[in-house]
Amino acid sequence: MTTTTSLILRTGARVLMPLLLLFGVFLLLRGHNAPGGGFAGGLVVAAAYILHFFAFGLDAARRALLTRPERLIGSGLLLAVGSGILPVLFGRPFLTSLWFDPASGIGTPMLFDLGVFLVVIGVVLIMAFTLAEE
Amino acid sequence: MELILAIASGVLFGTGFYLMLRRRLAQLIIGLGLLSNGANLLIFTAGGLTRARAPVIAEDASQLARPFADPVPQALVLTAIVIGFGVLAFSLVLAHGIHTMAGTDDIDEIRSGSG
Amino acid sequence: MNALVLPIALPLFTAAVLLLAPSRPLLQRWISFAGACVLAIAAVLVFVRVERDGILVLQLGGWPAPFGITLVADVLSAMLVVATAVVGLAVTLSSFSGVDPRREGFGYHGLIHVLLMGVSGAFLTGDLFNLYVWFEVMLVASFVLMALHRTRAQLEAAFKYVALNLIASSLFLTTLGLLYGGTGALNMAELATILPARENTAYETILAMLFLTAFGIKAAMFPLFFWLPASYHTPPAAVGAIFAGLLTKVGVYSMIRVFTLLFPGDPAMLYTLLLAQAGCTMIVGLVGALAQQDFRRILSFNLVGHLGYTTVGVALGTSAAMAGSIFYILHHIAAITNLYLISGIFLRLRHTTSLPELGSIFRERPLVAILAAIPVFSLAGVPPLSGFIGKLALVRGAFGAGAWWTGGIILAVSLLTLLSMARLWSESFWKTAPHEDKSRLPGVILLPIAFLSAITVAMTVAAGPLYQLAMKTSDQLLNPALYIDAVLKGGPQP
């Protein structure tokens, strides 16, 4: 992956990357009671890294991710399971929503959504990187 | 409107199956995608079409005011789309692997050619 | 009743830990094995409680029955979850004797646990759409496990597997759409109060036929089984073992669950077709097995044939036949998983499972041959092993239901199985091999095989209580009111 890409793409990617990341997180947080959520947000963030890969190559994209996609999937799954188990500790059925403060949307569903967010980023990037390697 | 959507779903199924009967992997994958979208559209249509409000209880009411849209088919379709996305992406990776190895995406040649 | 979620949550937790842990092979194998041990303990716990307290129900998220997703464990579900855990133990144990490094780097152990989660989820769910989701979880994990190879034949097999299973999934999804459109329900207990009460129209028949097709592909029933012998012989032994032991059984389980609840005895056409399908599956599978020259292909065709046995019960709908089928499912999970693991020994020693290349095991490694003899002869139905008892129960059930043809087919196919297994035995263990093999066999490779052989022997010894358990299960299945009341009313069940 040493092909030189166009200056426009590289400059554009540099500007768009933080915006896309921010937009992904925005979608994640908005998902509480409006369209959005972990899946959509995760896709946007994954798309940001794929754009980075188009512009700067596979190694740069891997470095920009700071961790391996497998790690993201693992921690996302842990968060999701944890959000389900938390209510069990309070004697409620598995996956029951517990709210710290319902108005702000902070509670176990948020934790679950964060888990989904991480899993989606991890899965999409694993697939994209695998395709890119071959 | 139901009729149009039903026909559209039928067309998606038909083209999906037609493409799956072709010999090229790429067409097979597109066919699979169309098939799952046909199923999604069918769920959406069979669940009942309404021009109605979202199923959220108003602040000053204790129950839903009719008419409201049934949220279940939407949830089902959303789940099915997510699953379909994952599976389709995976089959693309798989087909790409086959293509790089065999140098062709014709199913008959993959089988007969020497690898 | 939060214990019910353990067989689903534990494998997911193990998979997450495996993904986060450093990718050192030995560490991964131990985590994976420990996870399977904990899963087995949880499964036994659920089973014991179901045995003691009757049908267990958990309303996920605290939403009452028709609105949320319900997890339900009756004796059948609990038994199959225990069987899942047993297969999980054997397969994770088998990884100690070596896994191809490329696969291990690609999250092999985590995927095995995701697969176990999908299978347990499918056995425990009380909601049809949730069943679809578990099917997909299971399939995605199995797709990746299957496709982690790099030879041409393996990729081709993986693609067939993926394409055919995706068609089945789309059909299942379509059926669910039509079902929801016509009844407004997806909870199986609620559907069981709606559908059987209705007059039988074309709508119900269409639903039944769509279910039969979708589950028929998953369960590899005649004439929809071709994907199985085309793909199951290519992955490594451990992967083949977990596929053969569990995946098709999920299809069979879904048929039993959905048909006994949604279409009890009606439409009659469904049961006629199912019985014919079961008969054809048995005959075609075993005749196909006789024509094969490869250890694992013979197993694949045997697997298909014996899936016919497991659906005779639901097709006939009598208590005795159903009990026979359930006993047979349990026996078959242990035996076929073991045989696929044994094929791993041949792959290790000779790098092939083609019958002409095999042999000399009995003379050179008598311990291996004795351990392998148990599943081989159990599958063949040699008395007194568990396969014989299962077939006996099935034949008695079939004759008891007046299904002389079916009973006759079961007997005839049993002979074919005996022939096929005798050939397998003499070709791969008894005869003198064309080449001498000098490779050493690590002792650990025998552990899972010994474990599963011990299970088969235990099933033989404890056949009486096990058969009574199967009778209890079939009574529960043939009396859907118990299931419905447990889910919708939440009352204690006998």
Side-chain angles (χ1 to χ4, degrees):
Chain A
M1 275 297 157
T2 50
T3 46
T4 47
T5 48
S6 81
L7 180 66
I8 300 174
L9 180 62
R10 273 178 285 150
T11 316
R14 207 168 284 138
V15 177
L16 276 174
M17 179 87 176
L19 277 178
L20 281 171
L21 293 184
L22 203 63
F23 183 58
V25 177
F26 165 73
L27 277 179
L28 165 71
L29 296 177
R30 192 179 132 89
H32 172 50
N33 54 10
F39 183 73
L43 281 183
V44 170
V45 171
Y49 283 102
I50 292 172
L51 179 69
H52 197 77
F53 146 62
F54 280 151
F56 304 107
L58 190 57
D59 290 333
R62 279 192 195 277
R63 251 182 286 134
L65 192 60
L66 300 176
T67 176
R68 298 214 326 257
E70 291 88 350
R71 292 277 152 82
L72 287 179
I73 302 179
S75 38
L77 289 180
L78 270 188
L79 273 179
V81 179
S83 79
I85 287 178
L86 215 55
V88 175
L89 302 179
F90 291 88
R92 312 277 292 279
F94 187 76
L95 277 178
T96 308
S97 304
L98 292 180
W99 298 101
F100 181 69
D101 170 23
S104 69
I106 296 174
T108 53
M110 165 108 193
L111 217 56
F112 187 86
D113 229 14
L114 190 63
V116 172
F117 180 73
L118 293 177
V119 171
V120 169
I121 299 176
V123 170
V124 172
L125 286 183
I126 279 194
M127 288 202 199
F129 290 167
T130 312
L131 270 177
E133 271 167 3
E134 277 166 1
Chain B
M1 194 61 195
E2 269 91 352
L3 187 67
I4 298 173
L5 286 183
I7 291 172
S9 163
V11 169
L12 282 173
F13 270 102
T15 43
F17 275 118
Y18 174 77
L19 283 175
M20 293 184 74
L21 293 175
R22 312 285 296 173
R23 287 196 346 226
R24 297 184 52 195
L25 285 182
Q27 286 172 325
L28 198 152
I29 289 175
I30 298 172
L32 280 175
L34 289 179
L35 205 62
S36 71
N37 280 320
N40 289 340
L41 195 59
L42 184 134
I43 297 179
F44 188 66
T45 318
L49 299 173
T50 45
R51 275 180 172 278
R53 282 185 295 277
V56 178
I57 302 172
E59 292 220 356
D60 50 348
S62 62
Q63 60 179 26
L64 271 180
R66 285 175 188 282
F68 58 86
D70 184 354
V72 177
Q74 302 173 24
L76 301 187
V77 170
L78 193 63
T79 315
I81 286 175
V82 171
I83 293 175
F85 160 77
V87 170
L88 208 64
F90 171 75
S91 12
L92 271 176
V93 174
L94 185 57
H96 181 75
I98 295 178
H99 185 258
T100 30
M101 172 169 293
T104 170
D105 76 337
D106 184 301
I107 292 172
D108 286 351
E109 283 177 32
I110 290 169
R111 180 198 301 247
S112 59
S114 56
Chain C
M1 292 302 116
N2 269 314
L4 260 191
V5 86
L6 286 178
I8 299 171
L10 284 175
L12 185 61
F13 182 75
T14 315
V17 172
L18 281 166
L19 280 167
L20 287 175
S23 53
R24 281 201 298 277
L26 203 59
L27 180 72
Q28 293 265 327
R29 290 171 193 175
W30 273 108
I31 296 175
S32 174
F33 180 60
C37 289
V38 179
L39 173 66
I41 293 169
V44 171
L45 187 82
V46 169
F47 177 74
V48 169
R49 291 183 73 169
V50 170
E51 253 295 276
R52 200 186 56 202
D53 306 336
I55 300 175
L56 290 186
V57 175
L58 172 69
Q59 313 287 3
L60 283 182
W63 299 100
F67 306 112
I69 291 171
T70 315
L71 294 187
V72 193
D74 61 356
V75 185
L76 178 65
S77 303
M79 249 170 9
L80 288 172
V81 168
V82 173
T84 307
V86 166
V87 172
L89 268 180
V91 170
T92 50
L93 199 56
S94 79
S95 70
F96 284 105
S97 58
V99 183
D100 159 26
R102 202 189 113 81
R103 305 157 58 68
E104 210 154 22
F106 226 97
Y108 164 80
H109 299 288
L111 285 166
I112 292 279
H113 281 273
V114 174
L115 191 65
L116 290 175
M117 170 181 77
V119 174
S120 311
F123 287 147
L124 286 175
T125 185
D127 182 281
L128 271 176
F129 191 77
N130 198 229
L131 181 65
Y132 165 77
V133 174
W134 290 125
F135 266 12
E136 296 301 292
V137 168
M138 211 163 79
L139 281 178
V140 169
S142 67
F143 288 168
V144 184
L145 280 175
M146 190 125 204
L148 285 180
H149 320 290
R150 284 304 166 216
T151 75
R152 198 164 180 156
Q154 285 172 332
L155 279 177
E156 193 212 341
F159 210 85
K160 279 180 194 156
Y161 177 80
V162 170
L164 264 296
N165 275 289
L166 282 183
I167 297 176
S169 295
S170 290
L171 270 179
F172 189 21
L173 193 61
T174 310
T175 320
L176 294 182
L178 292 175
L179 187 67
Y180 185 77
T183 60
L186 285 169
N187 184 302
M188 286 195 253
E190 198 191 4
L191 281 167
T193 63
I194 299 173
L195 273 183
R198 281 199 193 171
E199 202 177 333
N200 198 359
T201 60
Y203 173 68
E204 279 78 17
T205 312
I206 287 171
L207 281 184
M209 290 306 118
L210 279 170
F211 273 126
L212 185 64
T213 316
F215 293 151
I217 297 178
K218 302 274 183 198
M221 297 282 290
F222 176 87
L224 309 164
F225 67 89
F226 294 100
W227 59 271
L228 194 150
S231 58
Y232 270 28
H233 63 283
T234 57
V239 175
I242 197 168
F243 283 13
L246 296 177
L247 294 192
T248 47
K249 303 300 184 299
V250 177
V252 173
Y253 164 82
S254 311
M255 280 197 191
I256 295 177
R257 177 65 75 215
V258 168
F259 293 163
T260 53
L261 279 175
L262 268 54
F263 309 104
D266 195 52
M269 179 182 153
L270 170 66
Y271 291 93
T272 318
L273 258 179
L274 195 57
L275 195 60
Q277 249 190 332
C280 292
T281 310
M282 290 188 258
I283 296 171
V284 173
L286 268 302
V287 171
L290 287 181
Q292 295 302 319
Q293 282 297 331
D294 182 282
F295 190 89
R296 287 191 288 176
R297 278 183 186 264
I298 291 180
L299 290 187
S300 297
F301 276 97
N302 262 291
L303 172 61
V304 170
H306 289 176
L307 287 166
Y309 286 158
T310 60
T311 43
V312 165
V314 65
L316 287 175
T318 65
S319 182
M322 188 82 97
S325 273
I326 289 164
F327 189 96
Y328 203 85
I329 290 177
L330 296 177
H331 140 74
H332 194 246
I333 290 179
I336 201 84
T337 310
N338 204 354
L339 283 171
Y340 270 90
L341 285 176
I342 289 166
S343 75
I345 293 185
F346 295 121
L347 287 177
R348 182 65 69 93
L349 289 178
R350 316 227 187 245
H351 307 288
T352 175
T353 51
S354 169
L355 282 187
E357 300 287 314
L358 308 179
S360 297
I361 299 282
F362 191 79
R363 205 163 310 116
E364 288 165 14
R365 305 168 199 273
L367 181 64
V368 178
I370 288 167
L371 284 177
I374 294 170
V376 168
F377 289 112
S378 178
L379 203 69
V382 173
L385 288 162
S386 59
F388 168 73
I389 300 162
K391 279 174 190 142
L392 185 68
L394 260 178
V395 170
R396 274 180 52 190
F399 285 147
W404 302 101
W405 270 103
T406 313
I409 290 176
I410 295 175
L411 284 175
V413 169
S414 298
L415 274 181
L416 288 180
T417 314
L418 184 63
L419 193 61
S420 147
M421 282 296 126
R423 189 165 142 255
L424 190 81
W425 172 259
S426 67
E427 289 277 321
S428 52
F429 293 96
W430 193 259
K431 76 157 195 250
T432 309
H435 315 289
E436 214 171 316
D437 78 89
K438 295 194 171 61
S439 41
R440 279 192 64 244
L441 202 60
V444 272
I445 206 171
L446 289 180
L447 278 179
I449 294 167
F451 171 63
L452 285 174
S453 292
I455 298 259
T456 299
V457 171
M459 276 183 183
T460 310
V461 175
L466 199 63
Y467 184 70
Q468 264 163 14
L469 199 66
M471 276 308 277
K472 186 178 168 186
T473 313
S474 79
D475 288 339
Q476 225 173 30
L477 284 173
L478 295 173
N479 188 2
L482 291 175
Y483 186 95
I484 299 169
D485 283 351
V487 175
L488 294 181
K489 296 189 184 135
Q493 295 306 313

